[in-house]
Amino acid sequence: QLQLVESGGGLVQPGGSLTLSCAFSGFTLDYYAIGWFRQAPGKEREGVSCIGSRDGNTYYASPVKGRFTMSRDQKKVYLQMDSLKPEDTAIYYCVADSHGTCTRAADHWGQGTQVTVSS
């Protein structure tokens, strides 16, 4: 059974850092892209970063490029978030997608973890 379990959310001051983790099981990254989406109050879900299954490259959305870094090991993916801004406040979701890249139609979603950036 495919599972995605996020952890690491919390409250951080602007300019601070936070690392999210997503423990995955039940599938391999050979066949699934894996990444992060987020949803802020009153806004649509937006992609944050993704490791594609076909090329293994990591992609970042423009608002987070240069501030967020995604990495992985055998059982987890991580999202290192630096220089956080209030507009980064959102629920962050780990996703696994069989379409080769991370899309809103991703097959599997974690439960989400809240990130709040506020002084």
Side-chain angles (χ1 to χ4, degrees):
Q1 182 180 358
L2 193 151
Q3 284 192 318
L4 302 165
V5 180
E6 304 99 331
S7 60
L11 174 64
V12 63
Q13 292 187 343
S17 298
L18 207 59
T19 301
L20 305 183
S21 299
C22 173
F24 62 90
S25 60
F27 67 100
T28 71
L29 298 183
D30 291 340
Y31 301 106
Y32 282 84
I34 190 165
W36 296 90
F37 272 70
R38 68 184 181 185
Q39 187 166 21
K43 295 189 176 181
E44 293 186 351
R45 285 184 183 182
E46 63 174 355
V48 175
S49 65
C50 182
I51 298 176
S53 60
R54 298 191 185 105
D55 57 15
N57 291 334
T58 305
Y59 299 90
Y60 298 96
S62 297
V64 307
K65 200 171 293 184
R67 299 187 298 119
F68 290 12
T69 304
M70 186 175 174
S71 60
R72 67 179 185 184
D73 60 27
Q74 295 281 358
K75 296 185 177 181
K76 288 186 177 181
V77 292
Y78 305 91
L79 187 67
Q80 173 68 37
M81 305 184 293
D82 298 316
S83 302
L84 282 161
K85 305 174 182 180
E87 50 263 44
D88 295 317
T89 296
I91 299 174
Y92 284 71
Y93 298 91
C94 184
V95 304
D97 197 324
S98 63
H99 301 99
T101 188
C102 303
T103 68
R104 291 182 187 176
D107 312 68
H108 303 282
W109 294 73
Q111 82 283 359
T113 186
Q114 177 71 48
V115 172
T116 302
V117 184
S118 175
S119 55

